[in-house]
Amino acid sequence: MHNGTTITQFIIEEQRHIQGASGDFTSLLNDVVTACKVISNVVNKGALIGVMGSAESENIQGETQKKLDVITNEIFIRSNEWAGHLAAMASEEMEEIYPIPARYPRGKYLLVFDPLDGSSNVDVNISVGTIFSILRCPGESPEPSTQDFLQPGVEQVCAGYAIYGSSTMLVLTTGHGVNGFTLDRDIGEFILTHPNMTIPADTREFAINASNQRFWEAPVQRYVEECLAGKTGPRGRDFNMRWVASMVAEVHRILTRGGVFMYPKDTKDPARAGKLRLLYEANPMSFIVEQAGGVSSTGLERILDIRPEGLHQRVPVILGSKNEVERVVAYHKA
Ligand code: AHG
Ligand code: MN
Ligand code: MN
């Protein structure tokens, strides 16, 4: 029998330390958690409920949507629009922001999310996840705008992800460290199983999609080359490599045992700065990584300091174990 701390209990106890907290944020987070439980259930049932495969539509990024991209986006909206905590939402799967409909009260927060990260993995039963970020809605304007979302990552109130893997977990930061919760399906609750997650400063494991190698810039070429040279190269030790193609799984591994993850700037498509999206992939993951003692950079600047220019803006991402990420950054400056 499990008698651990539930995520609700954890959030309420955290809220007690914040003077003047109204319970609004706690309540919002509860709805986000519920949405993740619903998504976990749908992803887990998979082919039994006919949710696999393509939706035969495209999102704003020009990517073919999976049925589950569309379904999970809908789940997130329906779970979070009604309670009166949000002014608007934005998602990977919607071109424009989603202002809370007039039939519901509007609140002071903004929610940004990637409802299903790594969705190319869903049909082959490899881990996928949900990434979310909570911001304060700035200004007094009654009508939320895209501009309200364009805040640097340092302004995030909370960031988290759910990973639908061999077990379902939810990992969360509100700026006081990182905590991980595992879903106990028997009681339908996330239980605190990974308190104070930290990323070791050193690692011998890196993650990058090596099929893009010919498009990488010199600093990343140099770093990976040196890792591959192993014991007999300049690093004097062997490295291991992983690539899941689900950022959530990648970040989760790094939070568990260290590592460095790179989706760097490349010359494959000169029109885009990187693959991953700043507001709902890079920023929430960077907040979590930094809170766990890691580093997150584009190679040239701290991701959390970037002033966003668009809802679906892409950025290069290099994150994880401090000493390795700092090395890659140093190669960019050399
Ligand atoms: P999404 O499924 O939300 O579009 O994101 C996929 C992202 C990220 O999770 C992963 O790290 C990366 O794309 C994988 O890209 P490649 O297919 O280029 O390896
Ligand atoms: Mn994604
Ligand atoms: Mn996605």
Side-chain angles (χ1 to χ4, degrees), residues 105-127:
R106 279 191 182 161
K108 59 180 183 245
Y109 292 106
L110 301 173
L111 179 63
V112 200
F113 56 94
D114 175 355
L116 198 63
D117 175 64
S119 54
S120 73
N121 280 328
V122 82
D123 290 340
V124 288
N125 210 344
I126 291 175
S127 298

